[in-house]
Amino acid sequence: MNWHSTNEFFAMGGYGLYVWGSYAAAAALMLLEPWLAQRRHRQALQDAASAHRSES
Amino acid sequence: MTATTAPLRLFTFAAPSRFYALIGALVPWCWAATVLLTLAGLYVGFFVAPTDATQGEAYRIIFIHVPAAWMSMLLYVVMAAWAGIGWAFNARLASMLARAIAPTGAMFTFLALWTGSFWGKPAWGTWWVWDARLTTELLLLFLYFGYIALVNAIDDVRRADQAGALLALVGSVNVPVIYFSVKWWNTLHQGATISMTAAPKMAATMLTAMLLLTLAFWAYAFAVIFTRTRAVVIEREAHTAWVGELTQGKSGS
């Protein structure tokens, strides 16, 4: 086992800022991006629905 | 649009309506693969791979940095290819796909630069240096932004697709430059650890974690890009009958 305690794990041998700064950025972007894409899809469906409603 | 009972032909899924349905079915599987591969990769990366002899724990950034960098280059080439196909064959869906790829490609490029910077500070003592590898990767980010800005700036959709395709194709020259930069120039960024012709110069467990996360990022890219493609298809095909039927009775879901 690499880590003898959770503190050790979060400290990352003193490099915690750099390692977790990297992983946090990845997590933030890779959660935000799909949410935005899904939102765009939903919006597109709504816009298309109202466009068709106003035509008929 | 329901699936047809006609036999599958080579260009069956070149129709936006059919592609829309196909990728809609695939997206959940892509997410499942993403989650499993990410968990596996992170487990190996943090609990199996040992500490690095020279860099200590800081090297663990590699498990994000290299996969993100690889995806940034791969997605650009794929985007340019689809844009080119859309231009050459007047294939609307190919152009739509190129537009859907760009933001994800830009995201991975930014992530590669960010994680690289956060790794550079402890490893080299600096957040940034204008060496060939870093500079060409930054150029890649600008090319993604340029493509997105260009296709959104031109009102005529077909002309926008064509202009975007030209930019994407010309810019793809940058990708092999990024790849070979560490060989062609004297760079601070280290040279290739992994090659097609020689054994990898890194520990097996580290390589495993890196490859697992590469596959995870690839599955993620499919999931997000397919979701965005569905949005683009609806936006572009909003006035068609099939979209009308699809959205009948739906106020958005």
Side-chain angles (χ1 to χ4, degrees), chain B residues 12 17 63 134 167 189:
Chain B
T12 296
S17 58
F63 303 129
L134 278 69
L167 176 59
H189 192 288

Side-chain angles (χ1 to χ4, degrees), chain B residues 53-105:
Chain B
T54 339
Q55 294 191 39
E57 308 300 345
Y59 92 95
R60 296 191 199 268
I61 297 173
I62 199 177
F63 303 129
I64 304 279
H65 178 70
V66 171
W70 282 350
M71 289 311 303
S72 75
M73 292 190 282
L74 174 65
L75 288 176
Y76 190 91
V77 172
V78 171
M79 177 185 84
W82 283 119
I85 286 169
W87 187 8
F89 299 104
N90 210 29
R92 289 186 344 268
L93 184 60
S95 302
M96 293 187 220
L97 199 46
R99 291 197 191 209
I101 292 169
T104 303

Side-chain angles (χ1 to χ4, degrees), chain B residues 113-114 116-117 120-121 124-131 133-139 188:
Chain B
L113 289 164
W114 176 278
S117 183
K121 184 62 180 161
W124 305 327
T126 180
W127 296 101
W128 183 259
V129 64
W130 291 102
D131 87 354
R133 171 56 65 83
L134 278 69
T135 305
T136 48
E137 182 75 3
L138 182 63
L139 178 59
L188 183 56

Side-chain angles (χ1 to χ4, degrees), chain B residues 1-8 12-13 17-22 25 245:
Chain B
M1 188 75 179
T2 55
T4 64
T5 50
L8 277 182
T12 296
F13 292 107
S17 58
R18 293 208 190 91
F19 193 68
Y20 181 86
L22 174 68
E245 281 170 35

Side-chain angles (χ1 to χ4, degrees), chain B residues 83 87 99 146-147 150-151 154 156-170:
Chain B
W87 187 8
R99 291 197 191 209
Y147 174 86
L150 184 62
V151 295
I154 299 173
D156 182 313
V157 160
R158 284 312 290 157
R159 287 204 193 286
D161 287 344
Q162 287 160 5
L166 180 59
L167 176 59
L169 286 167
V170 169

Side-chain angles (χ1 to χ4, degrees), chain A residues 1-3 9 12-13 15 18-19 21-23 25-26 29-30 33-34 40-42 44-46 48-49 52 55, chain B residues 20 46 49 55 57-58 60 63-64 104 107 114 118 217 220 228 231-232 234-235 238-240 244 250-251 253:
Chain A
M1 182 46 54
N2 286 326
W3 320 105
F9 183 74
M12 280 289 147
Y15 296 112
Y18 307 105
V19 174
S22 299
Y23 280 83
L29 288 168
M30 290 169 79
E33 209 206 354
R40 182 174 171 178
H41 184 214
R42 253 184 272 121
L45 287 167
Q46 275 175 24
H52 278 269
E55 272 167 31
Chain B
Y20 181 86
F46 281 96
Q55 294 191 39
E57 308 300 345
R60 296 191 199 268
F63 303 129
I64 304 279
T104 303
M107 188 280 288
W114 176 278
F118 270 60
F217 282 15
Y220 165 92
R228 193 176 295 113
V232 174
I234 297 296
E235 287 164 7
H239 291 104
T240 58
K250 281 187 190 187
S251 51
S253 68

